[in-house]
Each structure stands twice: as C-alpha cells, then as structure tokens.
Amino acid sequence: MKSSGKRGTRSFGAVELLPTWHWSQFTFFTMVDHNGNESSAPYFILIGLPGLERAQFWLAFPLCSLYLIAVLGNLTIIYIVRTEHSLHEPMYIFLCMLSGLDVLISTSSMPKMMAIFWFNSTTIQFDACLLQMFAIHSLSGMESTVLLAMAFDRYVAICHPLRHATVLTLPRVAKIGMAAVVRGAALMAPLPVFIKRLPFCGSNILSHSYCLHQDVMKLACADIHVNIIYGLIVIVSAIGLDSLLISLSYLLILKTVLGLTREAQTKAFGTCVSHVCAVFIFYVPFIGLSMVHRFGTQHDSLLPVIMANIYLLVPPVLNPIVYGVKTKEIRQRILRLFHVTTQTSDP
C-alpha cells in the first residue's frame, strides 16, 4: 500500500479510495481511478434501525427468536409431512415446498441482520450483496409459484374432485416444484447482471438490513431505466400474474361451493382457509414494501425498514402456525408428536 501524498487518501495500484462522511457518521469510499473516472463501489453499508441504534442490540433478541420459531415451525411441518404417509398428497407436498422456501428466505438475510444488530457489522461486499439479492428475489418468485400451484390444487379438488387424483399425480407435483425453481431463478437472474453493469459513485448506504434490487439500483450514478423496466416486467409477469390466477381460481371455487349443501360448503371452505391466509401473509407485505419503495420519499424513515423486516420474517413465522392450527391432520400429528415426546421424557 502506497501513500498518495494526500492526507486521508489511500492508493491501491491505479485506484484511490476517497473517504467521505455520510449519514449516521459512517465512513465509506468511492473508487476513483487516476483519470478521474468513478467505478463500482467495493461494498455497501447496510443500516439497522435508523434512530434506534442504541436499542437495536436488544431488539435483535426478539428478531432472532422469530427466526428460530420460523425455522423450527417450518422444519416441523416438513418432518411431519415426510414421515406421515397419509399426508403424501399434493396439498401437503406443496406445503413442504412452501415451508422449505420460507426457511431459505429467512436464512438468506437473518444471519447478516444479527451481525448488524449485535456486532455492528454493517458492510457487505458488492458480490455478496448481489448474491443475497438474487437469493431473496428468486426464492420469493418460487414461493409465489408454489402458492399458485396450491390454489390450482384446491380448485381441482373442489371443482373437479373426481379428476384430482389423475390430474395432480405425485410425478406431476414434482415437475411443478421444479418448474417453480426454474421460473424463479430464470426471472431473477438478470437482476444482479443489470446491477453489475452500473457504476456507483455516490452514497453506498442501503436503506435496509439486506440487499434488494429496488434499493441497490437507486444508488447508481447512471441511467437505471433498464432496471426499472425489467423490475416492472418481473412484478407483472410473476407476482401480478400469480395473484390474478389465484384470485380467479378462488372465484371459480366460490361459484362451485355456493351450489353445495351447507355441510359441504363448510368442509370446502375449511380446506381453503389455510391457503387463503398464506396468500395474504405473503402478498400483503410484498405489496406494502413495493409501495413504500415506489412512493416513499424519506430515505432514512423507519417505515421501509419495518416493512422489509415484516416481509422476510412474518410469512415464515405465521405459515406453520396457520397450517398447524387450521389443518386437522397436521394439528393432530403435531399433538401426537409432542405427546410421545412428553411420555418419553417422563421417568
């Protein structure tokens, strides 16, 4: 490392790191070569809870507890469905996929969030940020596809019950799961590529505790219309289309159920309640976060940070609770599992 001769400036080969003070007394560097050209930032700074820096060490404990509850609850759902042969049906297999995605989504962000809150480890390398961004967005796209598949399963089971066993066979369910993975990864793969081509020459402070495409692209000092247009295409073709098809499936289900007897209506609605709750739990925070990014104006407001944390933590925590309470088969299996565990632990 050579000194450039200027106080407070360090030189690495042909690149100088110019220190700049910014929001919340963070120091960060803009990369500038000797010709005066600015290039991509080597890292980003993730914020915790703006205005609550003194309290976020303690706030991390309930967040960590929520994460552990989410992981334990979803892994319990996966274990029960895997070990209980009577639950090897399309609805429960899709539920396993949903639980697995919830674990992966929360795990992709929570370790870094805990490092921020507990150890003030606020920096994240550029490529690591792109990897985290791709993981979060692609897993969200996969979850949306799985929710659509679950809606289709309910539509066939209620509107065409005699064809359900032939339409949704286990090999076909596996193919739907693979299609969800490929679709989510293929749609979101261009996002980090588009970010990679952008120069970053100003602030490198992100407004969340993890990397999101709409958050990172705003820091670029170049034209981001390609990013904006492709982001809209992804939202419309994935989240928008999926939510539209889910709504259409439930309109058809409602039309069919209204022609049934009262007892049959209660049973049919009972099989849909858990999935409807899962749909709202996923889409409401997603839409809320998108609206905050689209219409929000205050960069350091707590609202985007709170919405972002809700988006990643609430669905993984609530989904296993909703399915455990509302689905009779899973509830009974959980109670039986804890009953056996209690008996085994008794002297």
Side-chain angles (χ1 to χ4, degrees):
M1 184 175 71
K2 299 179 181 179
S3 174
S4 65
K6 297 178 182 179
R7 186 177 182 181
T9 302
R10 291 179 293 173
S11 176
F12 292 83
V15 177
E16 292 181 353
L17 296 182
L18 305 180
T20 307
W21 288 96
H22 197 24
W23 180 84
S24 292
Q25 298 182 344
F26 281 120
T27 301
F28 68 95
F29 297 95
T30 300
M31 297 186 69
V32 184
D33 61 26
H34 288 306
N35 296 322
N37 299 320
E38 293 166 329
S39 57
S40 295
Y43 61 85
F44 291 107
I45 293 176
L46 301 170
I47 66 171
L49 299 173
L52 298 176
E53 287 81 4
R54 294 180 180 273
Q56 65 185 18
F57 177 85
W58 302 107
L59 292 175
F61 287 97
L63 289 177
C64 185
S65 300
L66 288 175
Y67 170 67
L68 294 176
I69 291 171
V71 171
L72 179 61
N74 285 289
L75 291 181
T76 300
I77 294 291
I78 294 173
Y79 172 77
I80 288 175
V81 174
R82 185 177 181 274
T83 56
E84 190 71 29
H85 292 286
S86 62
L87 299 181
H88 291 181
E89 299 178 4
M91 180 176 70
Y92 301 110
I93 295 175
F94 286 136
L95 176 58
C96 273
M97 297 179 189
L98 187 68
S99 296
L101 291 171
D102 280 339
V103 172
L104 292 176
I105 288 176
S106 55
T107 302
S108 65
S109 59
M110 282 303 298
K112 182 59 181 178
M113 289 174 62
M114 294 301 99
I116 294 171
F117 292 158
W118 279 333
F119 307 109
N120 200 29
S121 177
T122 57
T123 60
I124 183 171
Q125 294 299 313
F126 185 78
D127 290 334
C129 182
L130 296 185
L131 179 61
Q132 186 186 60
M133 179 182 70
F134 171 73
I136 291 173
H137 286 294
S138 61
L139 290 169
S140 298
M142 295 173 200
E143 185 160 341
S144 180
T145 306
V146 171
L147 288 172
L148 174 60
M150 296 174 78
F152 177 70
D153 170 72
R154 291 300 84 205
Y155 163 73
V156 177
I158 294 174
C159 300
H160 305 281
L162 298 179
R163 299 178 57 190
H164 184 261
T166 57
V167 171
L168 285 168
T169 60
L170 293 183
R172 193 164 292 170
V173 169
K175 290 178 181 178
I176 292 174
M178 287 300 300
V181 172
V182 172
R183 183 193 185 213
L187 279 175
M188 305 303 173
L191 295 181
V193 175
F194 291 152
I195 293 293
K196 189 79 172 178
R197 69 179 181 83
L198 294 174
F200 295 85
C201 52
S203 169
N204 63 349
I205 298 178
L206 298 174
S207 60
H208 297 313
S209 303
Y210 55 87
C211 296
L212 286 178
H213 174 255
Q214 57 267 41
D215 195 21
V216 175
M217 71 177 183
K218 292 179 180 179
L219 300 182
C221 53
D223 184 35
I224 58 172
H225 281 92
V226 173
N227 299 71
I228 295 174
I229 292 172
Y230 189 76
L232 290 175
I233 291 173
V234 168
I235 290 177
V236 171
S237 62
I239 306 300
L241 180 61
D242 291 351
S243 59
L244 179 64
L245 293 175
I246 291 173
S247 301
L248 178 61
S249 67
Y250 273 102
L251 287 176
L252 296 174
I253 288 173
L254 183 61
K255 180 181 177 181
T256 301
V257 168
L258 290 177
L260 302 176
T261 62
R262 182 61 61 85
E263 182 180 354
Q265 287 179 355
T266 303
K267 184 177 180 180
F269 281 130
T271 63
C272 297
V273 168
S274 300
H275 179 254
V276 171
C277 291
V279 168
F280 277 100
I281 289 170
F282 174 78
Y283 284 104
V284 170
F286 179 88
I287 294 173
L289 183 60
S290 300
M291 295 294 287
V292 167
H293 275 285
R294 176 65 181 85
F295 300 106
T297 55
Q298 191 175 355
H299 177 74
D300 58 350
S301 172
L302 264 177
L303 182 60
V305 180
I306 293 173
M307 290 298 300
N309 291 336
I310 289 175
Y311 168 62
L312 281 192
L313 278 178
V314 171
V317 170
L318 292 185
N319 280 337
I321 295 176
V322 168
Y323 275 95
V325 171
K326 293 294 183 181
T327 307
K328 179 181 177 181
E329 293 81 2
I330 294 178
R331 183 174 67 250
Q332 290 178 342
R333 185 66 178 84
I334 291 175
L335 292 174
R336 192 160 66 246
L337 177 65
F338 280 103
H339 180 66
V340 171
T341 304
T342 304
Q343 283 186 335
T344 304
S345 62
D346 288 339

